[in-house]
């Protein structure tokens, strides 16, 4: 690990926020890390690009202030959308695994402290020998279609005017299609027929895989559960087309997630069908 | 929990094997459980069907022998395929959550013993208050298509003559399509173009969600990694059609997984395209 790090480029995070410089991920050298007094902190091996090894590291708290000399620790969700696709993928990979280490330092089977192995891609319990791998939680997110209208909902935590696709964690024992049907019945009282997979997106906050679908509603009467979402409504093509083309922010108009979000892509795909 | 169990029907497992009677899941009553000396064992609430509550329970080791009076503890993988779809789904749900409890008795964040909550659908750490939810691991499984032939591989653990679709666990930070491409490059040296989602299937051994896809190969030269699989080969339509129609068992002929397996469905879907 030490030898490889000496030659590698290290993507650093401060409490989940990536170091950014000039709009791109800022990698630090081993010399820069040494100047910050960082050593012996678990490092994740991201891979090789030619001869160049790439790593990721979650900075210890006492190194964060000085590391700011090398760039800006940016909001991780906003950063995902602004980076080129390849950089966003590297960031999602690194953040997903680092988040997992931060919350899985102990063996869930026996309670003993576990140890990092295989360049950060595994943890092993020295007590009961159980191997643990990074967790990825599948989430279904779906645009519900009823003729020329689609269903969007809003959580109480959304900015005023913002609506998005409904979504929920998959449960053990169900297919993607069954999860879509269960969530829509629970959250909006909508029964559905056909489900069509559209696209997927990793969303490492902390560890989701968003599985995006279109679903055909069998009726249009909405019964919101008011726990998960505070309101759900049908929107027409013109409303969706306008909302996709303008930034969030005007509380008097429909706002939808930005282009980088899979919810946006699900709406765009419907318009273009 | 106790009050509900008194009126409920309980699906029981012995070390992961479901109790089966007359080819169907055998539910026990609270009276039957009492006769086995079972009390205070964590019970999972599966849901209501009308007024009838359904639960699942992993039998303590000392109750297993006597419980055999109520039916047979059947192989869980073979049982999945033989049950009607609704029963297979209930079994997958119950087994997925019970498997998770069995291997997650401690808080992965702080190492303290955690407690069952919400009818078995959650664990809470009394020490650091972290909430833990059942884990579902997304796995991509793919039929690789090259004109009129498809790629199948075999592991060393397969019976002689058996081949199946290639598959692998998704990693943090990747889309479904990226996981399909990475796995095929790693395991068989095959580069791919388009990926099409076909179907999904829960596979609770212990906690997978199988995401089934078709993928178009860009070439036909195979380089097997020999760690994951021992051989991979291209098969034509006639070979696949014949194999789908006969049971596994003749080592001199191609054998493929049974109809209940998603690998079988991926081959069937390709033939019917």
């Amino acid at each position: 690990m030490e030898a490889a790090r000496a030659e590698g480029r290290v993507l650093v995070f401060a409490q989940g926020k990536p170091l950014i410089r000039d709009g791109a991920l800022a990698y630090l050298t081993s010399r820069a890390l040494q100047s910050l007094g960082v050593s012996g902190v678990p490092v994740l091996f991201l891979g090789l690009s030619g001869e160049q090894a790439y790593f990721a590291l979650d900075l210890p708290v006492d190194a964060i202030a000085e590391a700011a000399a090398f760039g800006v620790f940016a909001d991780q969700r906003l950063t995902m959308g602004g980076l080129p696709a390849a950089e966003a993928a590297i960031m999602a990979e690194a953040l997903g695994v680092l988040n997992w280490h931060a919350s899985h330092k102990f063996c869930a089977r026996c309670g003993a402290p576990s140890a990092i192995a295989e360049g950060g891609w595994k943890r092993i319990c020295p007590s009961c020998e159980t191997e643990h791998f990074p967790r990825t939680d599948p989430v279904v997110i779906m645009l519900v279609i009823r003729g020329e209208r689609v269903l969007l909902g809003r959580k109480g935590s959304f900015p005023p005017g913002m609506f998005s696709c409904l979504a929920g964690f998959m449960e053990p024992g169900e297919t993607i299609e069954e999860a879509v049907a269960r969530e829509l019945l629970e959250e909006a009282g909508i029964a559905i027929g056909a489900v069509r997979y559209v696209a997927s997106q990793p969303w490492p906050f902390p560890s989701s895989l968003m599985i995006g679908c279109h679903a055909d509603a069998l009726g249009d009467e909405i019964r919101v559960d008011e726990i998960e979402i505070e309101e759900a409504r049908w929107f027409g093509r013109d409303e969706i087309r306008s909302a996709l083309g303008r930034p969030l922010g005007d509380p008097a108009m429909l706002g939808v997630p930005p282009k980088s979000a899979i919810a946006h892509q699900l709406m765009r795909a419907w318009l273009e069908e």
Side-chain angles (χ1 to χ4, degrees), chain A:
Chain A
M1 236 22 212
E2 289 301 316
R5 196 203 299 178
E7 293 157 2
R9 304 181 69 195
V10 184
L11 175 59
V12 299
F13 293 84
Q15 298 173 334
K17 298 188 196 309
L19 186 67
I20 302 288
R21 192 171 44 217
D22 301 333
L25 295 174
Y27 294 91
L28 297 190
T29 60
S30 61
R31 178 172 298 188
L33 283 169
Q34 279 165 16
S35 77
L36 297 172
V38 174
S39 69
V41 172
V43 174
L44 169 69
F45 177 59
L46 290 174
L48 288 170
S49 175
E51 300 258 304
Q52 181 72 64
Y54 285 81
F55 300 88
L57 174 151
D58 209 5
L59 283 176
V61 175
D62 54 13
I64 293 175
E66 278 196 65
F70 297 99
V72 176
F73 290 106
D75 180 277
Q76 59 270 50
R77 292 170 197 246
L78 298 180
T79 303
M80 278 280 284
L83 292 174
E87 294 232 301
I90 291 168
M91 186 189 125
E93 176 185 343
L95 197 53
V97 182
L98 292 176
N99 282 340
W100 174 71
H101 283 296
S103 56
H104 292 75
K105 296 190 186 305
F106 295 83
C107 174
R109 186 179 286 275
C110 80
S114 58
I116 293 184
E118 284 189 9
W121 286 87
K122 183 164 142 178
R123 299 185 73 94
I124 299 179
C125 175
S127 176
C128 74
E129 296 183 358
T130 299
E131 298 186 331
H132 300 277
F133 295 90
R135 171 172 175 148
T136 298
D137 296 312
V139 170
V140 286
I141 178 166
M142 44 272 173
L143 185 66
V144 182
I145 302 169
R146 176 76 173 163
E148 292 300 299
R149 296 187 303 166
V150 294
L151 184 76
L152 300 179
R154 56 173 278 110
K155 299 187 183 194
S157 58
F158 283 2
M162 178 176 165
F163 283 74
S164 186
C165 297
L166 301 187
F169 285 99
M170 290 189 66
E171 293 181 352
E174 61 188 6
T175 63
I176 290 171
E177 295 74 14
E178 288 165 349
V180 168
R182 176 184 53 73
E183 283 287 344
L184 292 173
L185 207 55
E186 284 176 9
E187 294 194 356
I190 296 282
I192 57 155
V195 174
R196 293 175 297 283
Y197 169 82
V198 177
S200 62
Q201 182 181 48
W203 193 242
F205 310 109
S207 56
S208 296
L209 168 69
M210 310 300 291
I211 302 174
C213 298
H214 285 168
D216 294 333
L218 298 178
D220 50 17
E221 194 185 336
I222 300 166
R223 278 180 294 101
V224 165
D225 81 342
E226 291 180 11
I227 299 168
E228 298 281 338
I229 51 175
E230 67 171 28
E231 188 185 354
R233 271 164 52 191
W234 295 102
F235 295 91
R237 283 186 186 273
D238 290 345
E239 286 172 290
I240 298 293
R241 191 176 291 109
S242 303
L244 289 176
R246 65 174 169 251
L248 272 167
D250 184 341
M253 303 180 84
L254 169 64
V256 296
K259 196 157 61 172
S260 55
I262 192 166
H264 188 109
Q265 295 170 33
L266 291 173
M267 295 181 222
R268 173 76 60 198
W270 171 64
L271 283 180
E272 292 174 356
E273 256 174 19

